[in-house]
């Protein structure tokens, strides 16, 4: 591919909030046309408005990533609006109430796997044929440090993020010769609504969260966005199949 960013189209799922919103804004700032997708239409349209305020182009398409037909339509509408799909950031994900494995619930297991694992697989299933037809592309999936190491009291979430890394590595190897790169980003604790819902009410948890990171603080959504922009772009042309920690040193310990 020899395209400039202004010819490129990026799709971000889970882009109504947090890491997805910050990354949609970063793609736009770097000249990409951005498709913002989420189940939350109101907040998703706010992301589009924030992008448009900066003078860049974006549109919102509602999609529940755990539903095959909705994902198929998301990709079809993206291609019919913009003619191509260069970069996909498959980021939509959910967390669970913390509990030990033996106290887990079957319904919770199914919902986590449906969104975090099936969602990423369905997105790639529908994105890859478009990228093959246009001669290449780049995919980044959101895993987590919980996809690399144990996550006590978050066993199902941890299993779902290990699975995202398995899907990422396999897709990377299967499509490497077809000019499609597939990588995963593995954030540690990032200051988003997901983190605040689980921790902010509890000062002890906040102190523990900060202390877990050698760098002495939790991360920002913009710091994950920067890593995704790098992995998506030409600077990472020889990088595929990696699960990149962006974690303030957490997994180096
Ligand atoms: P967030 O809750 O702020 O945002 C997640 C977004 O995903 C929301 O806008 C939500 O509406 C959307 N979403 C949920 N289910 C969906 C579905 N079925 N289809 C489409 N959209 C859906 O969370 P965040 O912190 O920005 O998390 C983004 C990703 O980063 C997730 O995959 C999460 O597991 C991962 N992650 C977050 C952290 C953290 O500490 N915040 C750490 C590691 C990994």
């Amino acid at each position: 591919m020899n395209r400039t960013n202004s010819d490129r189209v990026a799709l971000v799922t889970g882009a109504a909030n947090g890491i997805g919103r910050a990354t949609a804004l970063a793609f736009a700032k770097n000249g990409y046309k951005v498709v913002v997708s989420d189940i939350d239409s109101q907040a998703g349209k706010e992301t589009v408005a924030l992008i448009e305020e900066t003078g860049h182009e974006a549109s919102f398409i509602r999609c529940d990533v755990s539903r095959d037909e909705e994902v198929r339509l998301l990709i079809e509408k993206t291609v019919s609006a913009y003619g191509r799909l260069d970069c996909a950031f498959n980021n939509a994900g959910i967390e669970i109430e913390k509990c030990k494995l033996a106290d887990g619930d079957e319904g919770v297991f199914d919902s986590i796997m449906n969104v975090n694992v099936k969602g990423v697989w369905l997105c790639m299933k529908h994105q890859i044929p478009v990228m093959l037809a246009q001669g290449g592309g780049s995919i980044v999936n959101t895993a987590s440090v919980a996809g690399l190491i144990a996550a006590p009291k978050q066993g199902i979430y941890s299993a779902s993020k290990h699975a995202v890394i398995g899907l990422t590595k396999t897709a990377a190897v299967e499509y490497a010769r077809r000019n499609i790169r597939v990588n995963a980003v593995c954030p540690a604790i990032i200051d988003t609504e997901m983190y605040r819902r689980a921790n902010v009410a509890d000062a002890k948890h906040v102190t523990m969260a900060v202390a877990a990171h050698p760098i002495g603080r939790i991360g920002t959504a913009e710091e994950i966005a920067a890593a995704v922009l790098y992995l998506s772009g030409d600077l990472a042309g020889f990088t595929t199949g990696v699960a990149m920690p962006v974690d303030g040193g957490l997994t180096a310990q």
Side-chain angles (χ1 to χ4, degrees), residues 204-216:
K204 196 178 93 197
H205 279 175
V206 174
T207 310
M208 279 164 56
V210 168
H213 303 77
I215 220 165

Side-chain angles (χ1 to χ4, degrees), residues 13-21 37-40 43 63-66 89-95 114-116 142-146 157 161 185-195 197 221:
T13 70
N17 293 287
I19 293 169
R21 172 178 280 182
S37 185
D38 206 285
I39 40 168
D40 182 342
C63 170
D64 178 342
V65 295
S66 67
F89 180 37
N90 300 320
N91 163 73
I94 54 173
E95 218 198 10
N114 266 334
V115 178
N116 293 7
T142 303
S144 167
V145 291
Y157 178 79
K161 294 301 189 178
V185 69
C186 300
I189 300 176
I190 306 302
D191 188 7
T192 66
E193 282 308 313
M194 182 181 278
Y195 161 74
R197 274 192 300 271

Side-chain angles (χ1 to χ4, degrees), residues 105-179:
D105 173 86
E106 186 184 8
V108 170
F109 183 97
D110 290 344
S111 2
I112 286 272
M113 291 299 165
N114 266 334
V115 178
N116 293 7
V117 183
K118 191 167 94 173
V120 167
W121 169 65
L122 285 175
C123 284
M124 291 203 291
K125 172 181 160 67
H126 292 290
Q127 290 157 357
I128 286 168
V130 172
M131 292 179 174
L132 287 173
Q134 73 192 14
S138 166
I139 296 173
V140 178
N141 299 319
T142 303
S144 167
V145 291
L148 297 168
I149 56 175
K153 295 196 177 168
Q154 288 179 289
I156 303 168
Y157 178 79
S158 173
S160 76
K161 294 301 189 178
H162 276 78
V164 168
I165 294 174
L167 290 169
T168 301
K169 289 183 175 177
T170 302
V173 171
E174 286 180 350
Y175 298 100
R177 295 287 178 102
R178 304 292 302 275
N179 201 28

